[in-house]
Amino acid sequence: MDFDLSEEQQLLKDSVERFVREEYPLEKRQKLTVSEDGFSRRNWATMAELGWLGATLPEEYGGIGGGPVEAMVLMEGIGRGLIVEPYFSTVILGGNLVLRAGDAARRHDILPKLAAGETMLAFAYVERQARYDLFDVETTAVRDGEGYVLTGAKGVVCHAASADWIVVSARTAGASRDRDGITLFLVPNNTPGLTRRDYPTVDGLRASELAFDRVRVGADAILGEVDNGLVLIEGVAEQAIAALAAEAVGCMDVLLASTNEYLKTRQQFGQPIGKFQVIQHRMADMFIACEESRSMSYVATMRLSDPDPELRAKTASAAKVQIGKSARFVGQQSVQLHGGMGMTDELNIGHYFKRLTMIDTMFGDQNHHLKQYAAFR
Amino acid sequence: MDLAFSGEYREFQNNVRAFVAANLPQDIREKVTRGLRLARDDHQRWQNILSAKGWIAPGWPTEYGGTGWSAVQRYIFDEECSRAGAPGVIPFGTKFVGPVIYTFGSDAQKSYYLPRILNNDDWWCQGYSEPGAGSDLASLQTWAVRDGDHYIVNGTKTWTTLAQWATKMFCLVRTGTEGKKQEGISFLLIDMAQPGIEIKPIVTFDGGREINMVHLTDVKVPVADRVGDENRGWTYAKFLLQHERTGTAGVGHSKAQIRRLKDIAAREKAGGRLLIDDPDFRARIAEVEIELQALEYTDLRYLMQVAAGNPPGAESSLLKLRGTEIQQRISELLMQAMGYYAQPWLPDALEYGWNEDPVGPADAAPLAAAYFNKRKTTIYGGTNEIQRNIIAKLVLGL
Ligand SMILES: Cc1cc2nc3c(=O)[nH]c(=O)nc-3n(C[C@H](O)[C@H](O)[C@H](O)COP(=O)(O)OP(=O)(O)OC[C@H]3O[C@@H](n4cnc5c(N)ncnc54)[C@H](O)[C@@H]3O)c2cc1C
Ligand SMILES: Cc1cc2nc3c(=O)[nH]c(=O)nc-3n(C[C@H](O)[C@H](O)[C@H](O)COP(=O)(O)OP(=O)(O)OC[C@H]3O[C@@H](n4cnc5c(N)ncnc54)[C@H](O)[C@@H]3O)c2cc1C
């Protein structure tokens, strides 16, 4: 066993931390969240230059050949900075789907542009009735000559507005909750018949409702095997969960450090509030929650390459449950221990807490994953 | 022992229910039940209705315009109002400063201020906390210096809820340095419309705009607007805090929210069926419902003690403590019921009359913000850590 980063990974970590320190004070971030795109195209270009966007891509696509650990290092930094650029939707979701399932032409077309910061992606997999069940798909794709016609709706699609391409899950066979019969399509954002309703999210990011009104796509839009898309979705969901776990750890680290600092400086009753034992114990429990989350983030990341699908799925669920619980506890207590200050918009605390709360809903909340985990014997 | 309310109480309950049903304006009810933003005028309208009926200050003695209801009747009244979707009466006048004035105030203060509270002429805010004085309230630093028959007040108050709507502020100020820090505090009634008072809104991270920083610069306050004796303000402040902390269990409100939670869960789908049919989600609702019952009957036990003339002491800290924890838990379940649709942030959707299509379920828009906002309940009115300290020290003798 080895929980250490390689020299290159350490350099990547340093570069993210430097970026967060220099480019991402809270005020700057808050300005970005209300800008037109909701993030900075210049930051995106910088991320490409620094090699982040291609960090997990093979060299043949302009990447640097890293894997899950590189993604983890980046996502932890993204959590620490509360970064709003669409790394998660473009690289973790879209990029990995294209890498897993795109044919050679697609991969050579899209991935180098992605690494260079010239293309963005989004993944539309949520449907309202589905809640967290990835196989509950009612959007249909009906064969029409060589191509397909897509009809239906997708919800809360992370960063759909800025994406050039949207990966869509649709049903090509079977009933709405069948595991078989789901196919992925790679659809340009400006395709006729595709309409979007864009909105900000509570954690300062962007998302959209998508409606597909007989959207016609060619056969070349198919990503992976027809009718067999679920295995791809589930695979990417595991990567997404590992990534979100790392992001949550980054967020929790900041909350822990900020709160600890506050407890040493805030004076009440003639002493720093950190001298009250109940506060010390609370803080010790928050520290424990962070450490256990970090461990589960590492495990989730490293198990991504395990050949046993059941072990992978169980690990992802376990990580999501632990992260959900810890994030809730650390977030709530950070607000509580800051007293009135913790409620203000001006302080970073509430913003990290909001992001952590939303991470819990992504790819299944703790309740959902507790059930998933318990279903394994 | 008997769990049922007597017939007399049931009749009272029916009366209140009928009155609220007939008089609560439909738009206000809808705003409250859907968790939308209330304007000052919404509060004013409902409070005027209660005022006209003589029910605005149920807790006051009849001689000052109260109802003469027993503690149990007041409990039933609160519960019926919550049940029907009425906004809570903003407590600063009726629940907080009113009792201080009729208990410790001068005759002039009683005859001037009490009717104005009952008629909703004055809107009060509470000027206790300061940037350096929160849990340790007695370390406050706002100074009031005597100048003839006025005080000149300088300092900064913070977290002042609804100061932007207030015409008056009751305020703790330092008037002396002798002895313990609790001993040099006085209790002043300050007019908000005069020069030297500057209100700066503090935006909370849920997007709320209900709290403020209030700067006081050379504010002139007539000595006649000091309640009770100089340097004895701490006694009155503590009396008020006791009032603030009882009646904060919010059982009626939480019951209404649990009903809302069940309604929503009966509309939302999860796992190919309704969320309410998901055994895990049901168990979570059941859990908080049971916690609420335990709190409700504790509250009622204490009420019966009050009715029997033995008011509980610091035990009642548990009502604030558990009441707020339960409110937070319910708000969390409400948000979780939305799944992904907790994410969209549509501040305009919190305004009544917004008529765009909702994103996702129609109930979704306010729920995440409500969850974040509820985090305040374990902080204000004395944090829950402080309530536990009180129980440990005053009840358990530790
Ligand atoms: C089954 C068993 C086997 C043991 N075997 C051995 C052995 O082989 N050899 C040996 O030497 N000892 C042994 N011990 C003793 C053990 O180390 C002590 O019980 C332990 O150190 C606690 O001391 P105490 O029992 O005096 O409790 P106390 O020190 O009186 O503590 C009572 C409670 O107060 C709390 N407390 C005390 N101080 C603080 C503080 N500063 N802050 C917060 N809380 C505090 C404690 O956490 C505890 O909950 C054994 C004990 C048990 C139960
Ligand atoms: C939304 C909101 C509305 C408010 N409205 C008003 C208002 O209208 N008027 C008004 O005067 N005030 C108001 N307050 C202020 C409120 O009463 C204070 O925030 C509260 O008393 C806590 O003080 P503080 O914020 O300074 O926190 P601090 O006292 O700094 O506390 C920080 C943390 O330390 C803990 N702590 C402090 N001392 C101890 C101890 N001895 N033992 C254990 N833990 C301790 C606290 O529990 C808390 O978790 C409001 C606050 C909020 C959030």
Side-chain angles (χ1 to χ4, degrees):
Chain A
M1 268 191 198
D2 172 10
F3 293 104
D4 294 329
L5 298 179
S6 70
E7 209 171 304
E8 290 79 21
Q9 289 163 347
Q10 187 58 49
L11 287 173
L12 183 64
K13 187 177 158 84
D14 295 343
S15 109
V16 187
E17 283 176 5
R18 194 170 332 111
F19 176 85
V20 166
R21 230 177 11 254
E22 289 166 6
E23 297 298 325
Y24 247 93
L26 189 66
E27 313 86 78
K28 267 198 182 172
R29 188 237 186 211
Q30 294 310 86
K31 281 206 187 104
L32 292 182
T33 62
V34 295
S35 68
E36 184 168 345
D37 284 328
F39 62 87
S40 151
R41 301 262 169 192
R42 222 191 61 194
N43 281 345
W44 191 248
T46 307
M47 291 175 184
E49 273 163 41
L50 291 169
W52 299 6
L53 304 183
T56 59
L57 291 174
E59 283 163 30
E60 57 174 318
Y61 307 119
I64 55 176
V69 176
E70 280 72 14
M72 181 187 84
V73 164
L74 281 163
M75 285 300 292
E76 224 183 277
I78 283 171
R80 197 160 285 153
L82 224 47
I83 287 178
V84 293
E85 279 70 26
Y87 178 86
F88 178 73
S89 56
T90 291
V91 179
I92 301 288
L93 299 179
N96 278 319
L97 283 165
V98 172
L99 187 62
R100 276 169 181 259
D103 58 22
R106 279 296 183 204
R107 284 189 284 191
H108 278 102
D109 176 25
I110 292 180
L111 297 178
K113 284 193 198 143
L114 189 161
E118 291 157 9
T119 257
M120 293 185 187
L121 292 100
F123 181 24
Y125 61 96
V126 174
E127 293 190 9
R128 188 169 154 192
Q129 83 290 343
R131 200 175 173 84
Y132 301 127
D133 293 336
L134 297 168
F135 52 85
D136 189 336
V137 175
E138 289 185 353
T139 297
T140 56
V142 178
R143 201 57 200 258
D144 176 43
E146 284 301 287
Y148 284 83
V149 174
L150 288 151
T151 307
K154 295 286 174 178
V156 203
V157 184
C158 199
H159 280 124
S162 49
D164 302 286
W165 296 94
I166 296 176
V167 183
V168 186
S169 59
R171 189 156 285 290
T172 35
S176 60
R177 289 178 57 81
D178 286 354
R179 298 182 62 85
D180 293 332
I182 297 167
T183 306
L184 292 178
F185 294 88
L186 187 62
V187 182
N189 204 347
N190 55 7
T191 307
L194 165 54
T195 49
R196 279 199 334 263
R197 177 170 179 191
D198 304 329
Y199 46 82
T201 55
V202 291
D203 49 0
L205 301 179
R206 296 294 164 92
S208 307
E209 300 298 288
L210 303 186
F212 296 82
D213 180 13
R214 279 166 290 134
V215 172
R216 207 168 285 278
V217 294
D220 59 346
I222 293 171
L223 204 55
E225 269 177 68
V226 173
D227 289 350
N228 202 17
L230 185 63
V231 60
L232 287 172
I233 301 175
E234 288 182 337
V236 164
E238 284 159 11
Q239 285 180 288
I241 287 173
L244 291 169
E247 185 184 356
V249 166
C251 290
M252 284 189 258
D253 273 344
V254 174
L255 284 178
L256 201 67
S258 309
T259 305
N260 203 33
E261 191 52 37
Y262 190 72
L263 299 180
K264 289 181 192 164
T265 48
R266 172 69 175 171
Q267 301 263 336
Q268 291 285 279
F269 304 99
Q271 56 179 329
I273 54 178
K275 290 283 172 219
F276 299 117
Q277 195 175 50
V278 66
I279 304 277
Q280 292 174 350
H281 285 191
R282 192 88 49 84
M283 200 62 207
D285 288 338
M286 287 163 66
F287 167 78
I288 293 166
C290 282
E291 283 300 294
E292 291 185 335
S293 292
R294 193 184 319 283
S295 304
M296 290 306 277
S297 154
Y298 289 180
V299 174
T301 297
M302 289 188 275
R303 285 265 166 82
L304 283 176
S305 41
D306 196 287
D308 177 357
E310 185 170 316
L311 183 59
R312 284 202 313 269
K314 259 184 97 161
T315 305
S317 285
K320 203 66 177 41
V321 171
Q322 176 64 48
I323 292 288
K325 260 200 225 170
S326 295
R328 168 182 168 200
F329 180 67
V330 171
Q332 292 178 348
Q333 292 309 325
S334 297
V335 173
Q336 181 69 22
L337 295 183
H338 277 79
M341 283 309 293
M343 289 301 299
T344 62
D345 190 61
E346 174 199 340
L347 218 65
N348 65 5
I349 300 300
H351 299 284
Y352 284 92
F353 175 42
K354 282 196 280 191
R355 179 63 193 146
L356 283 172
T357 306
M358 291 304 118
I359 286 176
D360 188 41
T361 68
M362 296 183 74
F363 287 93
D365 64 10
Q366 22 170 339
N367 300 343
H368 173 81
H369 281 289
L370 190 60
K371 225 184 295 193
Q372 298 287 107
Y373 187 92
F376 291 108
R377 287 186 171 254
Chain B
M1 285 195 174
D2 180 6
L3 274 182
F5 282 135
S6 65
E8 184 191 340
Y9 284 138
R10 280 201 302 278
E11 193 187 320
F12 175 78
Q13 186 176 37
N14 290 337
N15 283 343
V16 173
R17 190 172 295 183
F19 175 81
V20 178
N23 291 283
L24 176 61
Q26 181 54 32
D27 62 321
I28 297 182
R29 175 201 312 267
E30 200 182 323
K31 284 186 188 184
V32 171
T33 47
R34 288 173 52 202
L36 305 182
R37 244 176 239 136
L38 290 168
R40 187 187 196 274
D41 176 63
D42 297 319
H43 290 282
Q44 181 94 48
R45 271 152 67 214
W46 174 235
Q47 293 192 187
N48 286 347
I49 290 166
L50 289 177
S51 179
K53 177 77 178 168
W55 286 358
I56 186 82
W60 294 15
T62 40
E63 55 173 314
Y64 300 119
T67 57
W69 290 343
S70 68
V72 177
Q73 284 173 305
R74 295 198 310 259
Y75 180 90
I76 291 171
F77 175 73
D78 282 346
E79 176 154 316
E80 286 303 319
C81 287
S82 302
R83 205 185 118 88
V89 171
I90 294 183
F92 301 112
T94 52
K95 285 210 177 127
F96 294 1
V97 76
V100 172
I101 292 174
Y102 66 65
T103 311
F104 304 103
S106 65
D107 288 340
Q109 287 167 346
K110 288 184 210 173
S111 61
Y112 180 73
Y113 286 117
L114 297 179
R116 293 180 61 81
I117 294 173
L118 294 174
N119 295 329
N120 303 304
D121 294 335
D122 278 328
W123 283 60
W124 289 84
C125 65
Q126 178 177 28
Y128 276 22
S129 306
E130 297 182 6
S135 297
D136 184 14
L137 186 55
S139 62
L140 59 91
Q141 287 300 328
T142 294
W143 269 92
V145 179
R146 211 39 199 268
D147 178 21
D149 49 11
H150 281 86
Y151 289 104
I152 305 297
V153 181
N154 280 287
T156 298
K157 294 292 175 180
T158 192
W159 316 126
T160 322
T161 302
L162 298 182
Q164 73 271 31
W165 292 353
T167 57
K168 303 286 295 184
M169 172 162 74
F170 57 91
C171 191
L172 294 181
V173 294
R174 186 155 296 290
T175 37
T177 44
E178 305 278 291
K180 287 202 301 182
K181 61 187 179 182
Q182 284 84 353
E183 283 163 19
I185 292 172
S186 298
F187 193 107
L188 299 185
L189 310 178
I190 298 184
D191 192 352
M192 293 295 277
Q194 61 182 310
I197 295 186
E198 191 193 359
I199 301 172
K200 286 198 191 132
I202 301 174
V203 180
T204 46
F205 73 83
D206 60 303
R209 285 160 193 276
E210 54 188 31
I211 53 178
N212 304 273
M213 183 93 96
V214 180
H215 298 289
L216 302 122
T217 312
D218 294 333
V219 172
K220 273 179 87 169
V221 181
V223 172
D225 278 339
R226 188 191 67 223
V227 176
D229 300 331
E230 190 170 82
N231 293 339
R232 298 248 310 148
W234 190 248
T235 314
Y236 321 133
K238 274 201 314 194
F239 169 87
L240 185 150
L241 280 175
Q242 213 64 41
H243 270 260
E244 179 169 353
R245 285 168 194 164
T246 52
T248 47
V251 172
H253 171 76
S254 287
K255 278 188 182 171
Q257 292 299 96
I258 287 180
R259 267 196 304 280
R260 184 174 174 213
L261 174 61
K262 287 178 175 172
D263 285 348
I264 287 175
R267 289 198 290 273
E268 285 308 299
K269 286 183 86 179
R273 56 187 167 191
L274 293 173
L275 184 55
I276 195 79
D277 294 327
D278 175 289
D280 297 303
F281 202 79
R282 281 178 80 113
R284 288 195 168 83
I285 300 176
E287 200 170 38
V288 73
E289 215 174 331
I290 293 164
E291 287 180 29
L292 182 59
Q293 244 185 62
L295 176 67
E296 178 180 14
Y297 285 99
T298 307
D299 200 353
L300 287 166
R301 275 174 48 222
Y302 290 175
L303 283 180
M304 293 303 165
Q305 283 181 39
V306 174
N310 310 307
E315 292 93 316
S316 58
S317 275
L318 88 78
L319 300 176
K320 192 266 172 182
L321 200 161
R322 290 296 294 148
T324 52
E325 287 174 350
I326 289 169
Q327 286 168 38
Q328 289 182 343
R329 180 66 184 137
I330 298 169
S331 72
E332 192 171 6
L333 287 171
L334 276 163
M335 175 183 66
Q336 284 172 348
M338 286 301 144
Y340 274 99
Y341 283 97
Q343 292 195 18
W345 171 236
L346 304 162
D348 293 344
L350 303 190
E351 301 295 342
Y352 183 72
W354 184 76
N355 54 11
E356 285 178 46
D357 287 337
V359 172
D363 328 81
L367 293 179
Y371 165 72
F372 294 126
N373 183 270
K374 282 282 179 214
R375 305 311 312 171
K376 72 186 179 189
T377 62
T378 49
I379 297 170
Y380 66 33
T383 68
N384 282 19
E385 286 77 17
I386 295 296
Q387 307 302 330
R388 286 189 166 84
N389 285 350
I390 289 172
I391 293 175
K393 193 169 156 190
L394 300 181
V395 183
L396 304 173
L398 293 171

